Amino acid sequence: MTGILKRRATPRTLAVIAAAATAAVLLVPNAAMAADGEGERGRGGHSHGRDATVPTLVARATLSADHLEEGPASGALASPANGRTGPWPGQVIPGFSAMIDNGDGTFWAQPDNGFGSKGNSADFLLRNYLVRPAWQTADGGDGSIGVERFISYNDRNRVLEFPIVNDATEDRLLTGADFDIESVVRADDGTFWVGEEFGPFLLHFDAEGTLLEQPYSLDGLKSPQNPYLQPGETPRVRASRGFEAMASNGRYLYPIIEGSYADETDLRRREVHEFDLRTTSYTGRTWRYEADQDANVLGDAFMTGRDSMLIVERDDFEGDQAVTKRVYSVDLGRTDDQGRLEKSLVLDALRIDNPDGIGAGDGYGTGEVFSLPVQSFETVVLLRDGRLLIGNDNNYPGNDARITGTPDDTEFDVVELVKTRVERSDVTVIGHRGASGYRPEHTLAAYEQAIIQCADYIEPDVVSTKDGVLVARHENEISGTTDVSNRPEFADRRATKVIDGVSVTGWFTEDFTLAELKALRATERLPLTRPANTAFDGLYQVPTLDEVMDLARHSVSCDGRQVGVYPETKHPTYFDGIGLSLEEPLVAALQQNGLDRRDAPVIVQSFEVGNLKELSRLTRVDLAQLVSASGRPYDFTVAGDSRTYADLVTPRGLREIARYADGVGLEKSVMIPRTTAGNLGAPTPVIRDAHRAGLTVHGWTFRLENVFLPLEFRSSADPNAPGDLAGEIAVFLEAGMDGIFSDHPDVAATVEAPVEG
């Protein structure tokens, strides 16, 4: 082997496209800067640097989960968890759901309603705490959070018209059974405006916590816990999905409905409202925000300008199960052609650079790559120096994201958006079905893991549902990748079909509507090979192609560009034959996500030829012809064409491919066959010939386990033990391969193209 192999640091430096210099931060949409005009990235023989902004942890402070403040016992009805059982001899602080920066090193920090429901939080007093962090930084600091004092929210002026827990007392202190407070802003006059979920209401308190007027309602919006809900009235706001997030620009409040409405067919839709502080009334203006997936919620919001806003979007998973813990920016003056706010990634809280080891050893996610993998990521504050403070509600005692079995501490993390120069690799890394070596394949968890591990592209295989929606599954038969076989309600859907000439028995996506398919949960396809992945069985939905594209276009790669998407059309001739063509809805999805353009980071692939030729007429994105080591494209079989995949990789065949495609995806042995002993043999001329035809060459599939590796790269006789995947990849890169389909993007991303010298 000639040349020297360069290796990237693992993990590569994060490069999130955003700019933040002062309190008047300008948040730049990542798509505007991430796409560099190359549909296919990686070829050309050069590594180019680019300026990017790397979120970096610079300070951290925590408050013990078991910390108690003065007051009556709390938690008598709280659900026991993580070795803690109430009641506790004082007032629990179950994390903070909202914060205000006082500019003097202190913050007002507000917990929510206590223990999660109206029924178990009557002994939890609603408060706002004045806290002072003693930050742990690279220069030291003990990392504690001191509680200096608090104000108790109360109705001592008796403005409420409905009964409260402390109705008969003089102070009428408010509790978690009265309101579920989730967000807070301070008005110019020093009073507090609080967004809550039981109404949902807006509550106006003076500087000492006394309620000033009756709660502000919004016509048509009531939750099941609303005290004014009439018998037989159907609540439109789902339980615990009211005003979790709220921001203010000084003139207006912008409370946001946390989840979708109960009568909403689009389950990803969230609504932003506007409340005029001068007239103390809603203006009637609303905006549509689209979440990454149905179940995601909006945890907090913060205005960074008159119309610009940060929004926390999160899922309900924690620890290594977490998928979405993000901060997006939106501008209320900018919507797309479908009326949705255009959101841009500012921070993926699962991927923060931590060069100084702040918080190291404090549990999951506190290493060189820091993350905030808590269930309830519910605080974002743009500090006056331009840095971001993020924090958690720990749902005491239930959450244990950091250390299993131990309640999460309350934590504040300060993230600086550091401008740096990031080198772009020559080699394209494709997360094969996501990071399927670490999470069940074709789940948003697998795709997010691939992005964290520095994949340039994520790869969804696409098949159709009964109602014509494209979803990500390796095959349309789903018994091996979902829990469908354990769902008695779908037992009658089991069938035997002939797919590409092969009889297959099982359950098929084309026999399920999208709603039915969404009721299923993903499972690990290779449980014996990857037993660790089975810990995630039953957690994640089957994603739509639109959700995968949406995740990609709102994500940024480790070298600072928009993450690409590399969809494969599965069995297109079969789906054409049952009236569920894949090509048109695929192109429609590209158009809907703003990706149907020549410079979009998209490559569409297929093992068939005819549908790629059709797609070449329908879309401007790059196309790739997949080539197996044996057999022929199924559409050739149907058409009576005797050519095989071997014919496609002759010089003449490759020139023909170049007429409708931009690259080839080659099975490994097409490039370098194995010897009879199981070692790598000599490279074939196919890579050279493909390059001469102007085609990019990506190879599949590179996996870590011994069973998938050539003999010389196996670590032992154990077929499931990890071997030297990087070593195998290096040989293929030395042979000229341009990109890597890998189940293990973290390993693939460490191997660079050879540098002659």
Side-chain angles (χ1 to χ4, degrees):
M1 187 184 303
T2 61
I4 302 172
L5 291 178
K6 296 189 300 180
R7 292 184 181 266
R8 290 178 274 189
T10 302
R12 293 161 58 192
T13 307
L14 168 64
V16 171
I17 301 303
T22 66
V25 61
L26 175 64
L27 296 168
V28 183
N30 63 1
M33 298 181 64
D36 62 1
E38 292 182 72
E40 163 33 20
R41 299 172 291 176
R43 287 204 58 197
H46 302 285
S47 182
H48 306 285
R50 63 185 294 117
D51 289 330
T53 303
V54 179
T56 302
L57 185 68
V58 295
R60 184 170 186 259
T62 62
L63 177 70
S64 170
D66 298 317
H67 178 89
L68 295 174
E69 279 294 312
E70 65 180 75
S74 61
L77 298 178
S79 299
N82 295 312
R84 275 54 168 190
T85 301
W88 295 281
Q91 287 290 298
V92 169
I93 296 183
F96 297 116
S97 291
M99 293 178 62
I100 296 169
D101 180 11
N102 294 318
D104 60 358
T106 67
F107 299 84
W108 284 108
Q110 176 184 283
D112 61 12
N113 82 313
F115 304 108
S117 73
K118 191 180 183 77
N120 68 6
S121 299
D123 58 5
F124 182 85
L125 299 178
L126 303 186
R127 292 173 171 178
N128 200 346
Y129 289 92
L130 185 69
V131 301
R132 185 183 297 273
W135 298 108
Q136 178 193 3
T137 69
D139 298 323
D142 71 4
S144 63
I145 297 174
V147 179
E148 297 192 348
R149 68 182 182 92
F150 60 84
I151 60 173
S152 290
Y153 291 132
N154 66 86
D155 182 36
R156 61 172 54 101
N157 290 344
R158 295 183 174 272
V159 301
L160 293 175
E161 299 175 331
F162 51 84
I164 60 174
V165 171
N166 291 318
D167 207 43
T169 65
E170 180 179 355
D171 286 336
R172 291 171 59 85
L173 298 180
L174 297 173
T175 74
D178 303 320
F179 295 107
D180 184 2
I181 59 175
E182 296 286 358
S183 47
V184 62
V185 299
R186 184 169 50 198
D188 292 340
D189 62 3
T191 61
F192 294 104
W193 285 88
V194 172
E196 77 88 53
E197 297 203 295
F198 287 165
F201 297 126
L202 295 180
L203 306 175
H204 190 199
F205 296 97
D206 70 14
E208 295 305 315
T210 299
L211 191 63
L212 294 173
E213 53 245 356
Q214 292 182 27
Y216 289 90
S217 302
L218 184 57
D219 288 344
L221 293 188
K222 292 180 182 177
S223 84
Q225 294 84 15
N226 189 299
Y228 300 116
L229 190 70
Q230 298 300 305
E233 183 179 5
T234 301
R236 190 174 183 221
V237 176
R238 300 177 193 272
S240 191
R241 289 293 181 260
F243 295 147
E244 178 80 40
M246 183 172 68
S248 176
N249 60 10
R251 168 67 191 277
Y252 299 102
L253 298 177
Y254 294 98
I256 307 175
I257 296 296
E258 181 181 12
S260 62
Y261 290 125
D263 59 357
E264 180 67 71
T265 57
D266 181 359
L267 298 183
R268 294 169 64 190
R269 179 175 179 168
R270 312 289 180 263
E271 193 164 60
V272 181
H273 294 270
E274 184 179 66
F275 183 87
D276 190 335
L277 288 172
R278 293 181 185 174
T279 64
T280 59
S281 63
Y282 285 95
T283 68
R285 297 179 70 197
T286 62
W287 292 263
R288 174 187 172 189
Y289 177 98
E290 184 173 71
D292 290 349
Q293 54 182 321
D294 295 351
N296 283 3
V297 296
L298 306 187
D300 197 16
F302 191 95
M303 298 301 292
T304 59
R306 187 184 67 178
D307 293 319
S308 56
M309 181 189 301
L310 301 177
I311 293 179
V312 170
E313 182 177 335
R314 66 169 179 85
D315 58 21
D316 267 332
F317 297 117
E318 63 179 351
D320 59 359
Q321 299 176 359
V323 179
T324 306
K325 310 293 179 187
R326 293 184 165 207
V327 178
Y328 287 114
S329 68
V330 299
D331 189 313
L332 300 180
R334 297 181 58 187
T335 57
D336 62 17
D337 56 8
Q338 298 182 57
R340 302 171 300 190
L341 287 169
E342 295 184 354
K343 64 184 189 183
S344 303
L345 182 67
V346 174
L347 173 67
D348 186 338
L350 299 180
R351 195 175 73 176
I352 300 170
D353 200 26
N354 188 19
D356 299 313
I358 295 171
D362 199 16
Y364 180 84
T366 58
E368 181 182 353
V369 174
F370 185 87
S371 68
L372 185 64
V374 295
Q375 177 190 13
S376 295
F377 171 19
E378 292 189 2
T379 298
V380 62
V381 176
L382 179 66
L383 301 177
R384 301 184 186 195
D385 60 7
R387 300 181 300 176
L388 294 179
L389 184 154
I390 58 177
N392 69 312
D393 169 358
N394 64 18
N395 296 305
Y396 186 84
N399 292 162
D400 58 349
R402 293 292 189 199
I403 302 172
T404 300
T406 300
D408 285 333
D409 291 338
T410 300
E411 66 178 273
F412 301 160
D413 304 312
V414 177
V415 179
E416 185 171 2
L417 303 175
V418 178
K419 184 78 73 174
T420 190
R421 189 75 172 171
V422 177
E423 289 300 314
R424 188 181 74 192
S425 170
D426 290 333
V427 179
T428 299
V429 176
I430 304 116
H432 182 244
R433 311 174 194 172
S436 52
Y438 302 97
R439 301 291 186 274
E441 67 186 32
H442 292 312
T443 59
L444 291 185
Y447 298 129
E448 167 68 4
Q449 195 67 20
I451 293 167
I452 291 172
Q453 293 182 355
C454 298
D456 300 300
Y457 287 80
I458 53 178
E459 185 222 19
D461 297 334
V462 296
V463 293
S464 182
T465 65
K466 183 178 182 178
D467 44 353
V469 179
L470 299 188
V471 295
R473 288 292 89 188
H474 176 53
E475 293 289 344
N476 55 328
E477 199 289 298
I478 55 173
S479 63
T481 59
T482 73
D483 60 0
V484 66
S485 63
N486 296 321
R487 298 294 189 97
E489 66 270 31
F490 297 127
D492 61 348
R493 306 287 176 92
R494 191 170 187 266
T496 298
K497 302 187 180 188
V498 177
I499 311 295
D500 292 0
V502 178
S503 181
V504 180
T505 298
W507 287 262
F508 299 84
T509 59
E510 63 269 23
D511 296 330
F512 292 78
T513 65
L514 177 62
E516 290 172 331
L517 205 61
K518 282 288 189 179
L520 304 178
R521 292 296 180 268
T523 59
E524 171 55 38
R525 186 176 64 88
L526 302 172
L528 298 181
T529 302
R530 294 169 178 168
N533 284 9
T534 63
F536 303 97
D537 285 354
L539 296 178
Y540 306 121
Q541 289 184 326
V542 174
T544 64
L545 176 62
D546 180 68
E547 287 173 326
V548 180
M549 287 183 173
D550 201 48
L551 176 68
R553 71 187 179 96
H554 289 124
S555 299
V556 178
S557 68
C558 289
D559 56 11
R561 294 171 298 177
Q562 181 177 316
V563 170
V565 63
Y566 207 134
E568 178 189 342
T569 57
K570 302 290 292 195
H571 311 301
T573 294
Y574 169 79
F575 276 106
D576 274 344
I578 60 173
L580 291 170
S581 177
L582 303 178
E583 292 79 20
E584 293 81 6
L586 172 56
V587 173
L590 290 170
Q591 294 170 345
Q592 182 175 341
N593 285 279
L595 295 173
D596 188 21
R597 61 180 198 273
R598 181 60 189 169
D599 65 345
V602 176
I603 304 172
V604 179
Q605 56 180 332
S606 178
F607 278 102
E608 295 190 15
V609 174
N611 79 311
L612 284 179
K613 289 183 176 180
E614 180 182 354
L615 284 165
S616 72
R617 298 186 293 270
L618 296 176
T619 181
R620 294 171 288 179
V621 302
D622 283 357
L623 306 176
Q625 177 67 61
L626 292 174
V627 176
S628 182
S630 61
R632 61 167 51 89
Y634 185 67
D635 58 325
F636 281 13
T637 299
V638 171
D641 189 327
S642 62
R643 287 178 297 164
T644 67
Y645 284 120
D647 295 311
L648 295 186
V649 293
T650 64
R652 179 178 179 179
L654 291 165
R655 289 194 297 272
E656 172 63 27
I657 289 173
R659 294 178 183 176
Y660 62 86
D662 306 275
V664 287
L666 304 180
E667 198 276 330
K668 292 189 295 185
S669 62
V670 174
M671 296 178 284
I672 305 179
R674 295 189 188 182
T675 67
T676 55
N679 297 298
L680 287 180
T684 70
V686 66
I687 298 176
R688 179 201 64 196
D689 293 342
H691 286 165
R692 286 177 177 174
L695 296 168
T696 299
V697 177
H698 293 164
W700 54 273
T701 300
F702 291 86
R703 297 179 167 111
L704 183 65
E705 295 89 357
N706 284 326
V707 66
F708 302 114
L709 290 168
L711 191 61
E712 65 268 39
F713 295 107
R714 297 179 185 177
S715 61
S716 68
D718 181 353
N720 299 322
D724 183 10
L725 174 59
E728 182 197 28
I729 291 172
V731 176
F732 282 82
L733 293 180
E734 184 73 24
M737 181 181 68
D738 304 304
I740 309 157
F741 285 91
S742 182
D743 293 5
H744 302 82
D746 56 338
V747 179
T750 67
V751 191
E752 269 288 8
V755 177
E756 298 297 331

